[in-house]
Amino acid sequence: MARLVLKFGGTSVADIERIRVVARHVKREVDAGHEVAVVVSAMAGTTNQLVAWCKDASRLHDAREYDAVVSAGEQITSGLLAIALSEMGVPARSWLGWQIPIRTSNVHGAARIEKIETDALEKAFAEGRVAVVAGFQGLADNNRIATLGRGGSDTSAVALAAALGADRCDIYTDVDGVYTTDPRMTPRARKLEKVTYEEMLEMASQGAKVLQTRSVGLAMVHQVRTLVRSSFDDPDDAALVAASRTNTGLPGTLVCDEEEIVEQELVTGIAYSRDEAKITLVKVADKPGIAAAIFGPLAEAGINVDMIVQNVSEGDAMTDLTFTVSHAELDKARAVVEAASADIGYQQLIADGDVAKISVIGVGMRSHTGVAQKMFHALADRGINLHVISTSEIKVSVLIDAEYTELAVRALHTAYGLDGDTAA
Ligand code: ADP
Ligand code: ASP
Ligand code: MG
């Protein structure tokens, strides 16, 4: 017998029919003798609608009320899944974040899970009941509902798995695993059998939304074996039933430690993010203190700066400085810099929201050179201009014009030999 946390995303619970399929997946694990807790997202599209309503009601809405609104989608699906399970003869009860409680920080809209009380869930297990937990939400200090940021149900699931000491956390979604790149971007994407926590962390943080970045960080810290798999498989398929019984031969992609991976590729995956914007300050003084004058106020305003590049000045002690922020924060970042313009001193501010970041990721980069060079060649061959470059130990990222996103991803996928057998 194993203890499992199963998470189902928005497309997987999009309507009652899909929720019934989810219930059959849950039932299969229960019938195999496992203790099961389930985390659900809101029905596909619901959270977007709730967010839009908040924005429509007021551009400057209170973040606590935003959380009261956008957490509602998961309340519906947790109740519906508990009903569907009971209907199939599987005893189940729904739980909202505050009922467990899942304690979070007070950063409404992007709260962190701090502690999960497990008594109620342990009792549910002891009584042979499936606990269906609303994802994406918890309880902040002030006794108010807090949400975990978009895609946060993944984090709810992994955190719950860690708190319950689960043997595995299964993330059921609308693709059958983690691919070398977004399979919706290129049909040549190849499914990975295993991927390291580190690589998955980079892939997620560079835009691969199959797992929320924070969920991967938690999985790495708490060593939660996380399996990304499809909810669109037939729940009663004989091979799946056998795999559930033995916990071997499971489908999907396992996110795990590097030691578990026998053959490591040089490059594991390509990620892209269109949620980027760049700001260039033309002719700033090339002297000490300027970077602090720019990035200090941005940090105080809570704006995350990602890539930074400063051009070398030619004699006149003036330089151009470019940095990137998330697209959603472009207007705010621009306002902050403009407000500090007297301290910074620049000639012109150019904002560009039409950019994308493409990243090449692989732990093999630690021991091999030439990865970045291959990237630059492949992109140059396609005439794609690089605005900013940044690197880390296992990643190279470049900022390009958004219109070339697909071309760049496909070119790099081929250049690193990642194309699968389905290649046309
Ligand atoms: P859910 O609603 O189940 O949480 P998401 O839409 O958040 O699902 O994440 C699944 C999506 O992630 C897929 O439909 C796919 O388009 C996208 N994706 C991006 N990069 C990858 C990747 N490398 N491997 C698999 N899926 C990816
Ligand atoms: N429903 C939330 C969202 O759409 C959380 C999630 O799906 O993980 O962001
Ligand atoms: Mg998601």
Side-chain angles (χ1 to χ4, degrees):
M1 182 188 71
R3 179 173 278 198
L4 304 176
V5 173
L6 318 181
K7 179 260 173 179
F8 295 88
T11 324
S12 308
V13 293
D15 54 36
I16 299 297
E17 203 181 316
R18 296 292 326 149
I19 290 176
R20 280 203 192 100
V21 173
V22 165
R24 284 162 58 206
H25 280 292
V26 175
K27 184 173 187 311
R28 185 190 64 239
E29 302 300 335
V30 171
D31 289 348
H34 305 314
E35 287 177 330
V36 178
V38 185
V39 172
V40 285
S41 292
M43 290 177 176
T46 298
T47 312
N48 286 348
Q49 174 67 77
L50 298 173
V51 170
W53 279 338
C54 288
K55 286 189 180 147
D56 217 7
S58 161
R59 260 174 62 84
L60 296 171
H61 49 259
D62 187 305
R64 287 160 293 199
E65 302 310 343
Y66 166 93
D67 277 351
V69 175
V70 302
S71 59
E74 275 73 9
Q75 173 160 353
I76 295 168
T77 44
S78 58
L80 286 173
L81 180 57
I83 291 172
L85 283 165
S86 304
E87 177 75 15
M88 282 178 198
V90 179
R93 183 63 68 217
S94 70
W95 297 88
L96 298 179
W98 65 267
Q99 289 172 309
I100 292 180
I102 295 173
R103 304 244 173 231
T104 72
S105 66
N106 295 321
V107 185
H108 286 274
R112 280 176 180 273
I113 294 179
E114 288 177 344
K115 189 170 189 292
I116 300 182
E117 311 277 349
T118 54
D119 293 359
L121 299 178
E122 289 289 354
K123 192 156 169 271
F125 286 147
E127 292 168 357
R129 225 184 265 280
V130 170
V132 184
V133 179
F136 184 50
Q137 55 174 264
L139 187 65
D141 269 357
N142 47 17
N143 236 14
R144 299 213 65 92
I145 295 168
T147 62
L148 310 178
R150 298 304 306 268
S153 295
D154 296 329
T155 300
S156 307
V158 173
L160 202 59
L164 291 168
D167 297 282
R168 215 176 59 233
C169 182
D170 286 1
I171 306 282
Y172 285 82
T173 182
D174 57 4
V175 282
D176 59 358
V178 178
Y179 280 70
T180 46
T181 192
D182 187 347
R184 298 189 204 286
M185 181 63 93
T186 165
R188 297 175 183 220
R190 191 156 44 82
K191 193 170 84 181
L192 299 164
E193 199 188 323
K194 292 181 178 176
V195 62
T196 67
Y197 291 119
E198 268 182 294
E199 286 165 321
M200 195 62 238
L201 192 62
E202 284 283 13
M203 279 169 73
S205 69
Q206 301 308 322
K209 70 167 185 165
V210 60
L211 288 175
Q212 198 198 31
T213 308
R214 250 182 224 168
S215 73
V216 188
L218 276 182
M220 184 154 97
V221 170
H222 297 283
Q223 295 282 297
V224 176
R225 290 168 71 77
T226 303
L227 184 69
V228 177
R229 58 189 295 183
S230 175
S231 70
F232 287 77
D233 288 339
D234 172 8
D236 306 314
D237 176 77
L240 274 197
V241 172
S244 294
R245 294 237 157 87
T246 56
N247 287 319
T248 55
L250 293 159
T253 301
L254 185 70
V255 190
C256 60
D257 266 331
E258 207 170 328
E259 291 83 68
E260 279 196 55
I261 300 181
V262 187
E263 260 180 76
Q264 192 63 60
E265 306 272 355
L266 179 57
V267 164
T268 305
I270 320 275
Y272 67 91
S273 164
R274 291 197 175 100
D275 178 28
E276 307 289 324
K278 119 180 129 121
I279 290 181
T280 300
L281 298 181
V282 180
K283 286 199 181 291
V284 292
D286 190 7
K287 64 176 191 200
I290 289 299
I294 298 167
F295 300 115
L298 286 167
E300 274 163 38
I303 296 170
N304 232 337
V305 173
D306 180 18
M307 308 165 99
I308 302 176
V309 64
Q310 184 179 333
N311 296 344
V312 181
S313 58
E314 298 251 353
D316 64 353
M318 294 302 232
T319 181
D320 294 349
L321 195 141
T322 298
F323 62 89
T324 66
V325 295
S326 79
H327 199 280
E329 294 196 312
L330 177 59
D331 289 345
K332 197 171 156 195
R334 182 187 192 135
V336 168
V337 172
E338 282 171 350
S341 65
D343 291 336
I344 304 166
Y346 56 83
Q347 201 178 72
Q348 193 191 352
L349 183 156
I350 304 169
D352 182 358
D354 246 349
V355 288
K357 184 169 61 169
I358 315 290
S359 305
V360 169
I361 295 140
V363 287
M365 279 182 215
R366 281 202 198 109
S367 45
H368 288 82
T369 54
V371 173
Q373 204 186 357
K374 188 176 258 184
M375 182 180 201
F376 304 152
H377 272 301
L379 297 176
D381 284 349
R382 306 289 189 298
I384 299 172
N385 194 24
L386 313 183
H387 299 300
V388 188
I389 301 165
S390 77
T391 62
S392 79
E393 209 187 6
I394 65 163
K395 168 212 89 183
V396 186
S397 301
V398 295
L399 196 75
I400 63 170
D401 288 334
E403 61 181 303
Y404 298 122
T405 308
E406 207 165 308
L407 179 64
V409 169
R410 290 182 174 182
L412 293 171
H413 202 264
T414 304
Y416 289 106
L418 296 174
D419 288 350
D421 297 336
T422 52

